């Protein structure tokens, strides 16, 4: 089990599988996958290097800092090459769970809409923010094909639990598509009801306004399941729903055994 307060209040990752070729780890939220700058902040890669000193370690997939869930790690250059090839062929299948705003009426659906960087404008104050951009965009902004499939697992008065699969790998794809669909991920500072809250969070940290508007200190997106074929055997790994998402779901009487 994870122990609270590993570093700076971040939960410790959980090893879900330890094979000779690879590891599967459940990354907690608010932990970066890979260090982006030499500031000493904890990362999943750093934790793995401490756990397995001197060993070859390579992250096959990465998750955003706030996203929790399954991460696949290669333990040798050969395994990294094989797993990389599976990734390129889209043969590593990943399913996510998300708590989203509003009642999703459809039990199943596909969001097929190109994604690209929106660019700074009076309507968008965030440089990294992505969005749905049509192929005939009058501003000539670049976009790429993006396709997301969803299944509704449970629905409440103003909240829904979805299972998601990204059939393409665009930056922030699931969050962008869900917001475009009218059901942003709960707690999403960038793609939620007011993107200015992201800038306020950077400047001031988590405030009462954030709690009132967003409801959760991180976006409620969890990489729940990872499956792939290895040595002619299908391997399936799941990371249980984190406590913060579980508590939020239960607080609004949202149930879907055995997930919640």
């Amino acid at each position: 089990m994870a122990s609270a307060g590993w570093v700076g209040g971040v939960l410790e990752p959980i090893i879900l599988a330890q094979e000779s070729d690879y590891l599967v780890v459940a990354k907690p939220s608010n932990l970066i996958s890979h260090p982006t700058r030499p500031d000493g902040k904890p990362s999943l890669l750093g934790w793995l290097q401490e756990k397995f000193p001197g060993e070859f370690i390579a992250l096959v997939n990465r998750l955003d800092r706030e996203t929790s869930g399954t991460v696949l790690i290669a333990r040798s250059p050969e395994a990294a090459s094989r797993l990389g090839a599976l990734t390129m062929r889209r043969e590593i299948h990943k399913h996510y769970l998300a708590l989203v705003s509003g009642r999703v009426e459809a039990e199943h659906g596909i969001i097929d809409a190109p994604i690209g960087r929106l660019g700074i404008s009076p309507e968008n104050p965030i440089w990294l923010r992505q969005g749905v951009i049509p192929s005939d965009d009058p501003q000539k902004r670049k976009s790429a094909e993006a396709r997301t499939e969803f299944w509704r697992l449970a629905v409440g008065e103003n909240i829904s639990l979805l299972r998601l699969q990204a059939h393409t790998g665009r930056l922030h794809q699931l969050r962008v598509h869900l917001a475009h669909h009218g059901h942003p991920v709960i707690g999403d500072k960038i793609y939620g009801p007011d993107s200015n809250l992201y800038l306020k969070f950077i400047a001031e940290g988590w405030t009462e306004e954030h709690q009132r508007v967003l409801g959760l200190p991180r976006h409620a997106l969890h990489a729940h399941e990872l499956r792939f074929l290895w040595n002619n055997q299908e391997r399936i790994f799941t990371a249980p729903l984190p406590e913060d998402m579980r508590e939020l779901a239960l607080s609004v009487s949202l149930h879907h055994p055995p997930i919640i």
Side-chain angles (χ1 to χ4, degrees), residues 21-22 79 82-83 86 228-235:
D21 294 321
Y22 61 83
R82 288 178 62 189
L83 292 168
L86 291 178
F228 57 94
L229 200 63
W230 192 255
N231 296 334
N232 297 317
Q233 290 188 333
E234 185 179 41
R235 306 307 309 271

Side-chain angles (χ1 to χ4, degrees), residues 97-99 151-154 159-163 254 256 260:
L97 297 173
L99 292 169
W151 297 262
R152 190 192 69 196
L153 300 183
I159 186 174
S160 302
L161 172 67
L162 302 181
R163 177 179 171 90
L254 206 62
H256 183 78
I260 301 174

Side-chain angles (χ1 to χ4, degrees), residues 48-61:
L48 288 164
Q49 289 170 338
E50 290 181 7
K51 280 283 185 180
F52 302 94
E55 288 196 26
F56 179 92
I57 294 290
L59 304 186
V60 178
N61 68 299

